Amino acid sequence: GEDVEQSLFLSVREGDSSVINCTYTDSSSTYLYWYKQEPGAGLQLLTYIFSNMDMKQDQRLTVLLNKKDKHLSLRIADTQTGDSAIYFCAENTNAGKSTFGDGTTLTVKP
Amino acid sequence: NAGVTQTPKFQVLKTGQSMTLQCAQDMNHNSMYWYRQDPGMGLRLIYYSASEGTTDKGEVPNGYNVSRLNKREFSLRLESAAPSQTSVYFCASSVQGTDEQYFGPGTRLTVT
């Protein structure tokens, strides 16, 4: 079945890099996504990667995809206190639906 | 563009009451979704609509009904609310092709 797993918590110091990991099971996924949720708000798309790519960089964000191991990661360089949020990994599945992980709560300490 | 809007933002219901959550998007997206978010359980899909006039069940449809009124609007109805439906409800719409989803701000529902 389809399942997306990610660790629940990550804590880093301001200025360090953060790496959030995710594993997925649907090898037919065409796109994989990272969303960010701030307290009291809806999810906001951060970035996505096409399944035939292995890396995508967008300013402080780097996404790495290992299709063989079905592993996706999000690296945030120079993490700031404003990056504190819940980060969701998601894969697209049939009929335009996405399956979401349970989210990783990132805490950035000053 | 307002993006995805949801009303109301907060609601308290008594067990057995009914209500409709409203959602609208102005991005001309074909697909729309309703999710619920509970602590420690991520997002669970309730219903989705791939296009105007079509709706399909998601992972947790029991106790809910939906209406895709037109391309812009997708409503979620609770006919007889139960405490287990206390949750935060999110509506989303998606871009055709990449399926990236845009979310509304959520409705925080408490059923007592």
Side-chain angles (χ1 to χ4, degrees):
Chain A
E2 302 146 358
D3 203 6
V4 177
E5 296 195 355
Q6 46 185 133
S7 53
L8 291 180
F9 301 100
L10 177 66
S11 179
V12 301
R13 292 234 172 256
E14 191 173 18
D16 288 350
S17 291
S18 307
V19 179
I20 303 171
N21 295 300
C22 168
T23 57
Y24 61 97
T25 57
D26 190 345
S27 58
S28 65
S29 293
T30 309
Y31 293 94
L32 295 123
Y33 315 89
W34 283 104
Y35 290 84
K36 177 183 180 182
Q37 184 181 31
E38 295 183 351
L43 278 68
Q44 176 188 8
L45 180 73
L46 276 180
T47 187
Y48 64 89
I49 188 167
F50 190 49
S51 59
N52 69 352
M53 298 169 65
D54 51 20
M55 188 181 89
K56 181 178 181 181
Q57 190 151 1
D58 183 2
Q59 298 182 14
R60 291 190 298 122
L61 305 179
T62 303
V63 178
L64 295 178
L65 174 60
N66 181 328
K67 259 196 112 171
K68 174 176 167 290
D69 295 336
K70 298 191 185 71
H71 183 265
L72 184 74
S73 67
L74 173 70
R75 178 176 179 270
I76 305 173
D78 188 25
T79 313
Q80 303 298 307
T81 54
D83 295 323
S84 292
I86 304 176
Y87 291 81
F88 290 89
C89 169
E91 59 176 345
N92 81 323
T93 54
N94 290 335
K97 294 186 291 181
S98 291
T99 301
F100 290 80
D102 287 346
T104 299
T105 299
L106 174 64
T107 302
V108 183
K109 297 179 180 176
Chain B
N1 284 352
V4 179
T5 56
Q6 293 184 236
T7 55
K9 285 188 167 50
F10 300 93
Q11 183 71 49
V12 179
L13 292 178
K14 293 187 187 307
T15 298
Q17 288 185 318
S18 62
M19 79 160 295
T20 299
L21 281 64
Q22 306 287 352
C23 173
Q25 52 92 9
D26 62 0
M27 295 173 283
N28 203 36
H29 291 163
N30 287 328
S31 298
M32 296 185 73
Y33 312 83
W34 275 105
Y35 296 92
R36 59 178 289 172
Q37 184 178 32
D38 301 294
M41 299 189 76
L43 285 173
R44 292 185 291 170
L45 182 65
I46 304 171
Y47 271 93
Y48 72 102
S49 171
S51 62
E52 185 180 349
T54 68
T55 61
D56 285 287
K57 294 178 181 179
E59 185 185 350
V60 288
N62 291 345
Y64 305 95
N65 285 302
V66 290
S67 295
R68 183 74 182 269
L69 304 168
N70 48 55
K71 193 170 186 179
R72 289 188 65 247
E73 298 171 289
F74 189 37
S75 61
L76 179 72
R77 183 159 177 84
L78 287 71
E79 290 291 352
S80 178
S84 61
Q85 293 178 306
T86 292
S87 188
V88 182
Y89 291 84
F90 289 103
C91 177
S93 64
S94 68
V95 174
Q96 191 162 0
T98 60
D99 293 330
E100 56 194 272
Q101 296 192 17
Y102 291 79
F103 285 79
T107 294
R108 282 141 188 86
L109 175 68
T110 301
V111 183
T112 61

